[in-house]
Amino acid sequence: MANQVLLPQMGISEESAVIGEFFVKVGDTVKVGTMLFSEETGKSVFEVESEFEGVVLAILCEAGDELPIKAPVMVIGEAGETYEAAQAVPEAAKQQATDAPKVASSPVEQKAEPVLTVAQDKAEGRLISPRARALAAKAGIDPLLADATGAEGMIIERDIKALLDAGVQKAAAPVAAAVAQTAAVQTATPAAAAAFTPEYKDIPLTTMRKTIAKTMMGSLQSTAQLTHTASFDATELLAYRQKCKTMEAAKGITIGDMVLFAVSRTLLAFPQMNAHYLEKTARQFTGVHLAVAVDIPTGLVVPVLRDADKMTLFQISNETKKLAAACKDGSIAPELLAGGTFTVSNLGNLGIESFTPILNPPQVGILGVNTITLRPRRAADGSVEFYDCMTLSLTYDHRGVDGAPASRFLQALCKNLESFTLLLGGAQA
């Protein structure tokens, strides 16, 4: 009996996801646990395993398609079994398709706002994949002229390509009219037509990029953000890092790990910084759950070190590396990307001397870690000496925290890092 593989929901707020890479093809034999395909949500890229054994009978969409959660992606059945696509779309997918953005009425509008979900032509009642619709719009042809070969009677990209190979040049009426109108305007205004147009390439935004953009803009619009920057003498920090390099078990400990350790201890004395601002209440947490920004090829993810204040320096170092590796290979569990009480973003390894990190609401604080530079100062004998200086940039929500307590937290953190070996021994500012 054939089984449909549905697009799984990887987060409680996800309504759709983009199909990434397919790891199997039609005719392949799969087992329970076989990796079938990857899906990209607004937070990360996940690999989807098979829950069935059998043969891949059909793949119902294409890489790059954005589908609603629970929409069918492929079909797995028994060897020799045939699969005939049903003409009706499953209810979950049908509802999402109905709610999908309508196709723009002109080529210009289509280029600015492409349809990213499977759309259904109301007049014909036929499904058209996003890639197929985009290719048809680019070529100026009516996609409904194509013979559908996709599952559920869907017109897919290869159907449009077949139409183009056949030499079909008949444009859909709305597209043709828009093209004609544009041509008339250009003919009437030769000066505009002669204007210089630089070459360019439009790169479609990924789901993660859209989510990051929406989240960052929403953060700036909904909070009262202010950033303070302070510096400290990093001589002792560097000395301890050098000492770690001589010990086999501690070789992997980095300056960033030491900062995370210091933040987890310092926050315990400043509960107003280890908090969420919830409009009517300020929720202060008894444990420190550090969100650590991780740069991956597709964007930025922020896994959480649970109960970081109870971890040793070695545990923080090891757990941070495990979380970062899971983010980069797409195996991070969705629940590990939520629940942070304070965020740390480290750009020091990129040589950044100061920056303004953006809050991750409802958290009231985020720390930016900067690079270490040589800075002059006057020594006790009056001469000028150089020392290793490190700066930290603290952004906080002024609705929940005032400047003085935020500054005192940053000051205490700098002192703890400046006397790092004392902090390891249990003494802190």
Side-chain angles (χ1 to χ4, degrees), residues 11 24 34 108 140 154 169 195 220 239 262 276 285 308 342 345:
V24 296
T34 298
V108 175
M154 182 187 297
Q169 298 297 326
L220 290 172
H276 287 177
F285 295 89
F342 187 91
S345 179

Side-chain angles (χ1 to χ4, degrees), residues 133-216:
R133 188 175 290 277
L135 180 59
K138 183 178 180 180
I141 64 173
D142 186 349
L144 297 178
L145 295 175
D147 293 326
T149 63
E152 316 291 354
M154 182 187 297
I155 296 173
I156 60 179
E157 187 178 30
R158 65 168 173 258
D159 302 330
I160 302 300
K161 289 180 179 178
L163 200 62
L164 293 172
D165 291 341
V168 175
Q169 298 297 326
K170 182 178 179 181
V175 176
V179 171
Q181 183 179 10
T182 302
V185 171
Q186 291 176 340
T187 302
T189 55
F196 171 70
T197 302
E199 293 184 2
Y200 63 91
K201 181 180 181 182
D202 286 336
I203 307 298
L205 296 179
T206 64
T207 301
M208 181 180 292
R209 187 74 261 157
K210 293 177 185 176
T211 301
I212 292 173
K214 182 179 179 181
T215 301
M216 294 296 98

